[in-house]
Amino acid sequence: MSLRPVYQFGIVIVCGMYCVANCGGTLRAEDAPEAQIDFQKDVQPFFNDYCGACHNPDDQIAGLDLEQYQSVESVTTERGTWQKILHVLNTKEMPPEDEAQPSEEQRKAITQWIDLELKSFDCTKIDNPGRVTIRRLNRVEYNNTIRDLMGVDFQPADDFPSDDVGYGFDNIGDVLSMSPLLMEKYLSAAEKIVETALWAEDPYKAPRKSFEGAEMQQDRGGRAIGKFRSLASMGEVFTEHEFAADGEYLVICEAYGKQAGPDPAKMEFRIDGKAVETVNVTAVSESPGYYEIRLPITAGKHRVGVAFINDYYQPKHEDPKLRGDRNLYICNLAIQGPIETTPQELPETHKRLVFCDLSEGEDPLKCAHAILDQFISRAFRRPATEDEIKNFMRLGYKIIEDGGTSEQALRVVFKAILISPQFLFRIEFNEASEKDEQDRVLNDYELASRLSYWLWSSMPDDELFEQAGKGELSKPLVLEAQIRRMLADPKSSALVENFAGQWLQLRSLTEAAPNKDVFSEFDDDLRLAMRRETEMFFAAAIRENLSILDFLDGKFTYVNERLAKHYGLEGVSGPEFRRVSLEGTQRAGVLTQASILTITSDPTRTSPVKRGKWILDNILASPPLPPPPDVPLLSEDADAVASGTLRQRFEIHRSNPACISCHEKMDPLGFGFENFDAIGRWRTKDSGFDVDASGTLPDGQTFNGPAELLTILKASRGEFSRCLTEKMLTYALGRGLEYYDKCAVDSICEALAKDDYKFTTMFLEIAKSDPFRNRRNSPGDKK
């Protein structure tokens, strides 16, 4: 079957949908056999005659300027464009029927020439693994990486701005930008993550009781002034406080002095009338200061106070500078505690990250160095350098110098690491020894990251790091074993959620809104069951190493009671999903699953156009042109609905000459699934009329019903395997594919065909491919 117009690596173009073609032509097959065709003498005149009026520098209909192609080399460098041109010429989609046409001999000669040039693509002369833009972790990758790095059980990135999508996926380096808002979110997330994962004493989070100065009692020396207490001569301000438990407490006094004489005002903290500590109150009324002590106090009621102990009054001192009246003003007294000291059982996350003793009794510098070496290496996904460790240790020293504890310093350092570009981005630097070379093989740590973010959407685990550290990961047998291990790991569910969720567009099921008046049984439970079915089907294909062709005609699925009832399947009860056979039913593969049928429908009815386009996009990699502007919508009023089936109304709608070309490809594919309504139920009637699910494809093949169409689609296994390979390779690399990636795609598809299209073979071949194992350097990549 020839359904594939090869819209794979670029903009969607056609040759002359609205062309005003010139008469005649210079190329005749009998005069110019394909081996003797000259690009300037034969090919360019052909397109000038039949397409140049529309596809020129001024008009560029469908984004195509044919005049820019001045040599045969363009067939290689613009391979995707020429494949599209070849297809529309072969299928006679272009020029349109009402425009002048080339003769069959002309058409045959030019298409044979293009086909030969495309097939002559010499992979031995193409040595370009491509270059991936430095990739920021997307939201899913950030959440998963934090989970595996820190061990915290929450989703900090759920509050981040949505990631942009390129080439159908949200892990494409070119579109993962960094905005000021996102940077603020990273700072806030790092704070929350570290405070959750690491214990550090924070006395200011303990229970606090505050007393305004005027509320407190006074023993000699002054009076209340507004909310404050004034101590004009030596005396004490105090309060009685019930301490809930034995422990350490902070006593914090906000105060200022009216300064006079040679010394500042002195304030003495007292417990039960006994002096504990004396401080100099240098603050003045314009800016009161906070003064605190920390001490152990037993449970029960205690008198807590502060005293003014160096009164000074010399209004007539012989030295004018020493004249004055020194007083102390108490604004507020707070008691905070009991302060949590090191708990008997530290959090598991803390014990895993802080694996040695930072106390004075051990070697704190050696311990801190070891902790940072391990954490930085895991966070940056490659061995930490000594300079990096020292730089972060200097930051920790600063916190300790300012009075912080070792644990508080470690928290600050960990936060700094989590907002470092080395953590937030997946960076592949040029090797210094290879700075003058265009391409290089990825080192084992870079390979480990590519594998883990492809298959797990997260950082490498300990085993990948270990193999990378030994230089073993790049060895073929080790690499294959690791891929098989990773696919079997529960973390490969990320591949289901993120690759399958975007390839099959399952994420859009969240926004699907079937009309409640028409489909009253649709609810969120059914929506979740639909998505779960497709995800479990995809997971089974990975876990059991099934053929990728099972996506087209696999005769099994996963249902619970709700979904089984929806499908009319008997013998299934309860909310648990289980595998069931589809033998004897009209369902097979993913195309007949309710998730796909629902997202390709309108709220009140099916949409053959959406369903056909979905197949062209995601099964055959042949997206049609965007619709022309001002195309009228299909009438949905009562009279129109009563006039016939949806198919009959579409026949009238698509008679528009501007629509027929694309609809001839899309509509038969969509109508083949008309037996399934807009939420995926089987039906034989539409608005009281018999459903017609027959069709004729552009190459002349006919079918009647979904089962026959699925058989035809499976026969186009080469097209489907190439489509899935291109999408998987795009996702694995984090970039769009280019013409030079054809060789890698061809090799992967060839290996798939030889191994009965086994799914694991695709993963193994992608991991061995040149674009996955190598990268093209650029001058800006220097380390």
Side-chain angles (χ1 to χ4, degrees):
M1 181 183 65
S2 179
L3 278 173
R4 177 181 173 83
V6 200
Y7 292 73
Q8 54 188 16
F9 299 140
I11 58 172
V12 178
I13 64 163
V14 292
C15 182
M17 177 171 285
Y18 302 106
C19 278
V20 179
N22 296 322
C23 297
T26 59
L27 180 65
R28 295 189 303 166
E30 62 268 29
D31 296 333
E34 58 270 18
Q36 301 174 11
I37 288 178
D38 180 81
F39 186 87
Q40 279 77 23
K41 293 180 180 179
D42 301 312
V43 179
Q44 282 186 316
F46 176 88
F47 288 113
N48 287 339
D49 289 344
Y50 294 102
C51 303
C54 296
H55 301 296
N56 56 64
D58 295 327
D59 296 317
Q60 297 191 38
I61 298 298
L64 175 63
D65 170 20
L66 285 169
E67 289 186 22
Q68 67 179 308
Y69 303 124
Q70 297 295 318
S71 69
V72 68
E73 285 72 24
S74 67
V75 180
T76 296
T77 58
E78 299 291 335
R79 181 179 183 80
T81 296
W82 284 96
Q83 286 176 313
K84 299 165 194 175
I85 292 171
L86 175 62
H87 175 80
V88 297
L89 290 175
N90 271 331
T91 59
K92 300 183 181 180
E93 295 176 29
M94 295 296 154
E97 291 181 1
D98 56 349
E99 299 290 350
Q101 302 290 319
S103 68
E104 284 304 307
E105 290 78 9
Q106 288 176 309
R107 189 187 296 270
K108 180 178 179 182
I110 203 71
T111 55
Q112 286 180 343
W113 178 85
I114 297 174
D115 187 51
L116 285 172
E117 287 297 330
L118 291 172
K119 289 179 178 177
S120 67
F121 192 90
D122 188 353
C123 290
T124 63
K125 296 181 180 179
I126 300 296
D127 184 20
N128 187 348
R131 177 179 175 274
V132 180
T133 302
I134 292 175
R135 285 151 291 180
R136 173 177 60 78
L137 300 182
N138 66 21
R139 294 197 303 173
V140 170
E141 292 168 340
Y142 183 91
N143 278 339
N144 292 347
T145 301
I146 289 297
R147 175 200 67 200
D148 295 338
L149 176 66
M150 305 295 293
V152 295
D153 188 22
F154 64 97
Q155 307 288 308
D158 288 358
D159 189 39
F160 292 0
S162 297
D163 297 311
D164 289 331
V165 174
Y167 303 98
F169 298 103
D170 62 5
N171 67 340
I172 304 300
D174 288 337
V175 301
L176 289 171
S177 58
M178 175 74 82
S179 66
L181 173 61
L182 182 56
M183 194 65 236
E184 290 179 13
K185 295 291 186 181
Y186 281 136
L187 290 167
S188 176
E191 183 90 18
K192 186 184 300 183
I193 291 162
V194 172
E195 289 183 0
T196 302
L198 290 181
W199 177 87
E201 180 185 280
D202 189 349
Y204 301 103
K205 288 189 175 181
R208 182 184 181 108
K209 175 67 175 177
S210 295
F211 307 88
E212 290 184 352
E215 296 176 351
M216 300 170 67
Q217 301 179 57
Q218 188 166 331
D219 183 3
R220 296 177 291 110
R223 60 191 176 86
I225 302 178
K227 295 181 179 180
F228 298 168
R229 278 279 174 185
S230 166
L231 287 169
S233 61
M234 291 189 293
E236 180 183 2
V237 174
F238 65 92
T239 187
E240 299 284 341
H241 180 67
E242 186 74 34
F243 289 81
D246 294 350
E248 288 197 332
Y249 290 80
L250 286 178
V251 179
I252 306 165
C253 183
E254 182 186 10
Y256 67 90
K258 180 184 178 184
Q259 308 296 346
D263 301 313
K266 292 184 182 291
M267 182 174 69
E268 185 179 81
F269 284 94
R270 294 177 178 177
I271 301 295
D272 295 328
K274 296 180 180 179
V276 177
E277 186 174 328
T278 301
V279 296
N280 291 329
V281 178
T282 58
V284 294
S285 61
E286 292 81 5
S287 180
Y290 288 90
Y291 304 89
E292 66 180 52
I293 62 170
R294 177 171 173 168
L295 73 166
I297 300 179
T298 58
K301 183 175 287 187
H302 293 276
R303 172 171 162 165
V304 181
V306 291
F308 180 36
I309 62 173
N310 67 333
D311 186 26
Y312 180 89
Y313 182 71
Q314 293 287 345
K316 299 180 180 180
H317 197 284
E318 59 183 17
D319 184 350
K321 294 182 179 179
L322 296 179
R323 295 173 189 169
D325 181 11
R326 182 189 300 145
N327 298 316
L328 180 67
Y329 296 86
I330 309 302
C331 307
N332 182 282
L333 185 75
I335 300 168
Q336 191 149 24
I339 298 167
E340 180 186 8
T341 56
T342 305
Q344 291 185 347
E345 187 65 28
L346 287 163
E348 286 300 319
T349 53
H350 184 100
K351 289 190 289 187
R352 183 164 63 86
L353 295 168
V354 186
F355 50 82
C356 56
D357 193 345
L358 285 167
S359 68
E360 295 295 331
E362 300 292 330
D363 184 346
L365 293 182
K366 183 178 180 181
C367 175
H369 188 284
I371 290 171
L372 291 184
D373 188 5
Q374 175 176 284
F375 186 74
I376 295 170
S377 296
R378 296 185 72 242
F380 293 176
R381 302 170 285 273
R382 44 100 179 140
T385 67
E386 193 60 31
D387 283 345
E388 288 170 336
I389 297 172
K390 289 180 179 178
N391 286 338
F392 284 112
M393 287 189 73
R394 278 194 285 269
L395 175 60
Y397 296 154
K398 177 63 177 173
I399 303 303
I400 293 173
E401 288 172 0
D402 290 342
T405 66
S406 297
E407 288 80 9
Q408 289 168 338
L410 203 58
R411 273 188 173 185
V412 172
V413 171
F414 274 34
K415 292 172 193 174
I417 293 169
L418 292 182
I419 60 172
S420 165
Q422 298 283 346
F423 171 73
L424 297 175
F425 291 83
R426 294 167 54 195
I427 299 175
E428 297 168 352
F429 283 118
N430 284 6
E431 299 290 345
S433 61
E434 299 172 345
K435 61 183 179 181
D436 296 325
E437 298 180 12
Q438 270 196 318
D439 304 326
R440 72 170 177 87
V441 178
L442 298 179
N443 65 47
D444 278 35
Y445 287 102
E446 293 166 336
L447 179 59
S449 280
R450 284 203 177 188
L451 287 172
S452 64
Y453 282 99
W454 169 30
L455 302 180
W456 289 345
S457 296
S458 186
M459 62 180 286
D461 66 356
D462 290 342
E463 186 165 343
L464 282 173
F465 277 133
E466 181 182 356
Q467 295 295 337
K470 294 189 297 186
E472 296 285 320
L473 185 59
S474 55
K475 294 181 178 179
L477 292 179
V478 176
L479 179 62
E480 178 175 340
Q482 287 301 313
I483 291 173
R484 294 184 185 277
R485 176 184 73 86
M486 294 174 73
L487 290 174
D489 191 284
K491 285 194 287 188
S492 65
S493 62
L495 192 66
V496 178
E497 296 165 7
N498 303 314
F499 172 75
Q502 294 180 88
W503 165 45
L504 299 174
Q505 301 175 11
L506 297 178
R507 292 180 177 181
S508 62
L509 189 60
T510 304
E511 284 77 42
N515 186 288
K516 287 289 186 181
D517 293 333
V518 181
F519 305 104
S520 58
E521 59 272 54
F522 185 86
D523 58 20
D524 285 340
D525 287 341
L526 184 58
R527 185 198 310 272
L528 292 173
M530 289 176 176
R531 178 163 182 165
R532 184 64 178 151
E533 174 193 20
T534 306
E535 290 177 340
M536 292 185 73
F537 187 94
F538 189 94
I542 297 175
R543 183 178 61 252
E544 301 173 26
N545 190 23
L546 301 178
S547 166
I548 64 170
L549 303 182
D550 282 328
F551 285 111
L552 301 178
D553 73 343
K555 295 298 290 184
F556 71 93
T557 195
Y558 292 85
V559 294
N560 62 0
E561 181 176 0
R562 180 69 189 281
L563 192 57
K565 182 179 179 181
H566 189 69
Y567 285 172
L569 299 175
E570 298 180 353
V572 178
S573 61
E576 298 81 13
F577 277 78
R578 76 288 317 266
R579 183 168 177 158
V580 297
S581 172
L582 294 177
E583 294 295 340
T585 74
Q586 291 288 333
R587 297 183 189 271
V590 298
L591 295 177
T592 62
Q593 291 178 1
S595 59
I596 307 302
L597 295 165
T598 300
I599 64 174
T600 55
S601 294
D602 289 334
T604 59
R605 61 166 176 82
T606 61
S607 174
V609 172
K610 288 183 179 179
R611 288 178 176 178
K613 183 179 182 299
W614 190 96
I615 294 171
L616 290 173
D617 283 342
N618 300 294
I619 302 300
L620 301 169
S622 306
L625 286 168
D630 303 323
V631 174
L633 297 176
L634 186 69
S635 177
E636 297 287 354
D637 60 35
D639 290 340
V641 172
S643 67
T645 65
L646 180 65
R647 181 174 191 138
Q648 291 167 338
R649 288 183 282 141
F650 256 103
E651 292 294 340
I652 299 172
H653 172 76
R654 72 176 193 156
S655 61
N656 187 330
C659 305
I660 188 64
S661 176
C662 292
H663 278 284
E664 282 183 339
K665 296 195 296 287
M666 292 187 296
D667 293 1
L669 295 171
F671 282 122
F673 295 94
E674 268 296 279
N675 281 119
F676 299 101
D677 71 8
I679 57 173
R681 295 174 302 188
W682 178 261
R683 65 179 182 175
T684 57
K685 297 283 187 179
D686 174 21
S687 300
F689 300 92
D690 290 337
V691 168
D692 180 3
S694 64
T696 301
L697 299 174
D699 65 354
Q701 293 190 83
T702 61
F703 61 86
N704 187 9
E708 291 184 10
L709 178 54
L710 289 172
T711 299
I712 294 174
L713 289 173
K714 184 177 181 179
S716 61
R717 60 192 64 193
E719 296 174 7
F720 173 61
S721 68
R722 191 172 192 88
C723 173
L724 183 54
T725 296
E726 289 170 0
K727 291 184 179 294
M728 185 68 79
L729 185 59
T730 298
Y731 180 80
L733 296 176
R735 67 168 173 83
L737 302 189
E738 303 292 346
Y739 75 91
Y740 44 75
D741 294 308
K742 173 190 181 298
C743 300
V745 174
D746 287 347
S747 177
I748 296 166
C749 290
E750 183 179 349
L752 267 173
K754 288 181 179 178
D755 195 28
D756 295 328
Y757 298 93
K758 295 295 186 181
F759 209 177
T760 301
T761 300
M762 176 182 292
F763 294 106
L764 297 175
E765 292 300 316
I766 287 176
K768 293 190 300 184
S769 69
D770 188 55
F772 190 85
R773 295 291 303 275
N774 301 275
R775 72 183 305 274
R776 170 143 290 193
N777 291 330
S778 74
D781 289 337
K782 299 290 194 299
K783 192 171 184 178

